Amino acid sequence: MNRTDGSVVAATLKPEPLLFFRPATAEVVVVLPEDRAPFLREASEVESVIAQLIRARANAQTIENDLLCSVPPPDGSRYVLAPALDKALGEEEVARQKAKEALDGIDLNPGADLVELLPMSTRSNPQGLPRGKKFTYVRSQKVRNHWRGYKLSGADKPELKSFLTHTPGQGWRLDDKKLREGLRYVRGDVLKQLGQVKTTANLEHELAKIEDEWMPEFAQAFNDNAHFASPEEAGDMAEYGGSARVLRAFAGASGALEGNFDGSLGGILKGELPTLKAAVKGKAEAGVMLAEGQADFKLFLPHRKGLQLLGIPALREELISGKTVVDLLPMGYVRLSFALGVNGAVGASLLAEGGVEVEFDANGTQKIKGRATARTADQIGRRSMVVNDKKAIKADAGAKAEITAFAGASAEGSVKGALQWQKPESKEFGDFALIEPKIAGLAGIGGSAAFSIGYTGGKFKIVAKLSGCVGLGLSGKVAAEIGAEHIWEFACWFRHQVVAAGDQNLRYFDKRAFRAFSAMYTLMIVEGKELATYLGEEADKMERRLERLIDENREAFLKAIKSSEDILLMASANVKGYLLEQLRRLDQKLDVLKNETDEKWREMKQDVKEALEWLLSSVEQKTELENVYQHATVDFSKVADTAQAKTFVSRTLGEVQVAVLDARLKDAPTSGHRLVRNTELAYQLQDGVHVAWNDRAWWAHGTWV
């Protein structure tokens, strides 16, 4: 021993072999000392490209959340955050391209190209091994000459499930005794190969410790965290197929970003990965069961705060500096909400790609996957879509090439969720249509607006086109169904859409669907039943029923109008026009039977006037009143001669009262406010867009700060 102070003695540190367990094939993998360097370089490269992508996504998502917050962050401004987000999105795209190049050619079908290994060591930081007890990934074509595998049984193709034991009350569990027996089965061959080289460790002692300590820990962690679909079925054990491995590779890589990640194997199998959550915050809540190759997402698209819908006004155009300027109308916020349990490559694509694509096929089966799309800070910050802009709706979302390992992967038959809208004067979102795994009867539903609504199979079907979300990382289209549970909420959403758009025809409904919707809504008012009662009925039948009900009981008809509160406020101009025409016809019949000495006749004439006043008090703006006049007909598919309706109103109420009504009606919508009668003080006090619906990014209200 050299005891001289300050002196240096050269020493050679002999590398040790590497030992891994390969769960997919239940074998011990040995990497000899001379193969350590190329093997570890390969493991580092795979880890690096995936980890850098997850880190880049987390960084971009953090900046995006700051940009979309309600008030400016203390350390940021529009001038700082927008360029920072554009830079982060660029870095994310570079990282994604590197991952694409590194994983090019990985074929998940046979599942042999991306190899998943667990370091077999009883030490916290074995020399040269990746830190912690996390999975290690290598590409088989890169390391095929740098390792040797030893099967834990004599079977040609052993599987991990062959080491399961059925325990009463607990079902199938991985048996550490069987695993240890398997290790003893191959220990002689391993020592024979390793005995040919000199190492710095007592290999036999190390293998004994692996048998006594590592194998029981692995079995315990597996049994605690791998939830079988059925505890009675040995085949329903944790998934080690190719697509499950790529999910674990992408989800588990983020653990390396937390510094000296040395978590327990159980924690890794449960997906306790902080960076993974950072990569999806704002858009999703995610949990990954790495043991099962399963990812659970609660997605809010394009963002938790929703997508602002804007409408091109029908008439408002101003000439400024020689240019025609159209002020877009804010029409509230909607979002897609998904609850997904997806396996393998689909889960990985949702973690790794910059956007999400939703589509449905000819049979109505809905599909979802991660898909890289072009995004910019300006578009993300404004997160809006013009619902009646044909060019925007048809625009290409800028989809880019996928990471090869995800090609062709999409979740089918498990896509569930809802279309949600932000309610007036509230931050709360409510469901107005359900997204089911498969929705039939979608053929022919489509149009030039953002939403297309049809009526088939006794339910309303709505197709939301996502191509108008250019720059937001959302593409494709999604179908939803409006049944009994959500028909009223849907009616409220649609009514607020129309009011916010200045009562113009948004062309959401096809003609048949809108005629049916108008008829059933009018029946709800006249009969006093739930709107859902009429789902499944056709317009012709409902229109005939309305005529009969009104003719047979005029008093009940007048009482139904006068007793309607929110129902009448939420009625469209078509419905109000129909009621107006029926009041006019009733009044005309009374004039034929004119008998001013008959008290009942005088009461009914007064009831007609009061019903008309009540009906017109539910009108929200001047354009709506004009639409009511245009639809004063008993045929929901036609428009009327407005002169006849206006003459009736003027004669019944008097010109002065009509002038007062016209004077108090709004010239423009006040979006986001609750609908109230135009005779109330609250109506007169409403001004501009309600703050709840004006919660865009803090910098997007006008002047940049």
Side-chain angles (χ1 to χ4, degrees), residues 71 76 81 400 425 431 543 619 642:
V71 294
L81 290 176
K400 299 184 178 182
E425 300 186 2
D431 298 350
E543 287 175 0
V619 174
T642 61

PDB file of all heavy atoms in Angstrom, residues 71 76 81 400 425 431 543 619 642:
ATOM      1  N   VAL A  71     -54.850  35.576 -14.966  1.00  0.00           N
ATOM      2  CA  VAL A  71     -54.119  36.817 -14.674  1.00  0.00           C
ATOM      3  C   VAL A  71     -52.661  36.596 -15.041  1.00  0.00           C
ATOM      4  O   VAL A  71     -52.164  35.478 -15.016  1.00  0.00           O
ATOM      5  CB  VAL A  71     -54.232  37.205 -13.186  1.00  0.00           C
ATOM      6  CG1 VAL A  71     -55.663  37.551 -12.832  1.00  0.00           C
ATOM      7  CG2 VAL A  71     -53.724  36.088 -12.288  1.00  0.00           C
ATOM      8  N   GLY A  76     -43.926  36.927 -15.719  1.00  0.00           N
ATOM      9  CA  GLY A  76     -44.090  36.764 -17.153  1.00  0.00           C
ATOM     10  C   GLY A  76     -45.009  37.797 -17.754  1.00  0.00           C
ATOM     11  O   GLY A  76     -45.770  38.478 -17.066  1.00  0.00           O
ATOM     12  N   LEU A  81     -43.778  35.288 -22.516  1.00  0.00           N
ATOM     13  CA  LEU A  81     -44.297  33.923 -22.565  1.00  0.00           C
ATOM     14  C   LEU A  81     -44.585  33.426 -23.975  1.00  0.00           C
ATOM     15  O   LEU A  81     -44.344  32.260 -24.283  1.00  0.00           O
ATOM     16  CB  LEU A  81     -45.563  33.827 -21.714  1.00  0.00           C
ATOM     17  CG  LEU A  81     -45.352  33.931 -20.198  1.00  0.00           C
ATOM     18  CD1 LEU A  81     -46.679  33.922 -19.477  1.00  0.00           C
ATOM     19  CD2 LEU A  81     -44.474  32.794 -19.699  1.00  0.00           C
ATOM     20  N   LYS A 400     -48.441  16.005 -38.957  1.00  0.00           N
ATOM     21  CA  LYS A 400     -47.095  15.617 -39.361  1.00  0.00           C
ATOM     22  C   LYS A 400     -46.927  14.110 -39.252  1.00  0.00           C
ATOM     23  O   LYS A 400     -47.775  13.407 -38.706  1.00  0.00           O
ATOM     24  CB  LYS A 400     -46.076  16.339 -38.475  1.00  0.00           C
ATOM     25  CG  LYS A 400     -46.165  17.862 -38.584  1.00  0.00           C
ATOM     26  CD  LYS A 400     -45.081  18.524 -37.769  1.00  0.00           C
ATOM     27  CE  LYS A 400     -45.143  20.046 -37.934  1.00  0.00           C
ATOM     28  NZ  LYS A 400     -44.071  20.705 -37.176  1.00  0.00           N
ATOM     29  N   GLU A 425     -72.713  32.833 -16.980  1.00  0.00           N
ATOM     30  CA  GLU A 425     -72.396  33.433 -15.680  1.00  0.00           C
ATOM     31  C   GLU A 425     -71.773  32.420 -14.729  1.00  0.00           C
ATOM     32  O   GLU A 425     -71.997  32.445 -13.524  1.00  0.00           O
ATOM     33  CB  GLU A 425     -73.643  34.061 -15.057  1.00  0.00           C
ATOM     34  CG  GLU A 425     -74.259  35.159 -15.905  1.00  0.00           C
ATOM     35  CD  GLU A 425     -75.408  35.892 -15.222  1.00  0.00           C
ATOM     36  OE1 GLU A 425     -75.700  35.565 -14.055  1.00  0.00           O
ATOM     37  OE2 GLU A 425     -75.996  36.784 -15.839  1.00  0.00           O
ATOM     38  N   ASP A 431     -72.312  18.648 -19.443  1.00  0.00           N
ATOM     39  CA  ASP A 431     -72.458  17.789 -20.622  1.00  0.00           C
ATOM     40  C   ASP A 431     -73.724  18.158 -21.384  1.00  0.00           C
ATOM     41  O   ASP A 431     -74.785  18.340 -20.786  1.00  0.00           O
ATOM     42  CB  ASP A 431     -72.564  16.319 -20.217  1.00  0.00           C
ATOM     43  CG  ASP A 431     -71.325  15.813 -19.494  1.00  0.00           C
ATOM     44  OD1 ASP A 431     -70.318  16.535 -19.473  1.00  0.00           O
ATOM     45  OD2 ASP A 431     -71.384  14.690 -18.949  1.00  0.00           O
ATOM     46  N   GLU A 543     -96.621  17.897 -35.409  1.00  0.00           N
ATOM     47  CA  GLU A 543     -97.326  19.094 -35.871  1.00  0.00           C
ATOM     48  C   GLU A 543     -98.839  18.874 -35.882  1.00  0.00           C
ATOM     49  O   GLU A 543     -99.623  19.757 -35.485  1.00  0.00           O
ATOM     50  CB  GLU A 543     -96.820  19.479 -37.260  1.00  0.00           C
ATOM     51  CG  GLU A 543     -95.424  20.092 -37.257  1.00  0.00           C
ATOM     52  CD  GLU A 543     -94.909  20.353 -38.661  1.00  0.00           C
ATOM     53  OE1 GLU A 543     -95.645  20.059 -39.631  1.00  0.00           O
ATOM     54  OE2 GLU A 543     -93.778  20.852 -38.791  1.00  0.00           O
ATOM     55  N   VAL A 619     -88.253  37.606 -25.818  1.00  0.00           N
ATOM     56  CA  VAL A 619     -87.377  37.931 -26.939  1.00  0.00           C
ATOM     57  C   VAL A 619     -86.169  38.698 -26.413  1.00  0.00           C
ATOM     58  O   VAL A 619     -86.311  39.622 -25.603  1.00  0.00           O
ATOM     59  CB  VAL A 619     -88.138  38.767 -27.989  1.00  0.00           C
ATOM     60  CG1 VAL A 619     -87.196  39.237 -29.086  1.00  0.00           C
ATOM     61  CG2 VAL A 619     -89.281  37.949 -28.577  1.00  0.00           C
ATOM     62  N   THR A 642     -94.167  38.588 -42.881  1.00  0.00           N
ATOM     63  CA  THR A 642     -94.069  39.272 -41.588  1.00  0.00           C
ATOM     64  C   THR A 642     -95.172  40.301 -41.379  1.00  0.00           C
ATOM     65  O   THR A 642     -95.515  40.615 -40.234  1.00  0.00           O
ATOM     66  CB  THR A 642     -92.703  39.957 -41.447  1.00  0.00           C
ATOM     67  OG1 THR A 642     -92.568  40.942 -42.484  1.00  0.00           O
ATOM     68  CG2 THR A 642     -91.581  38.950 -41.554  1.00  0.00           C
TER      69      THR A 642
END
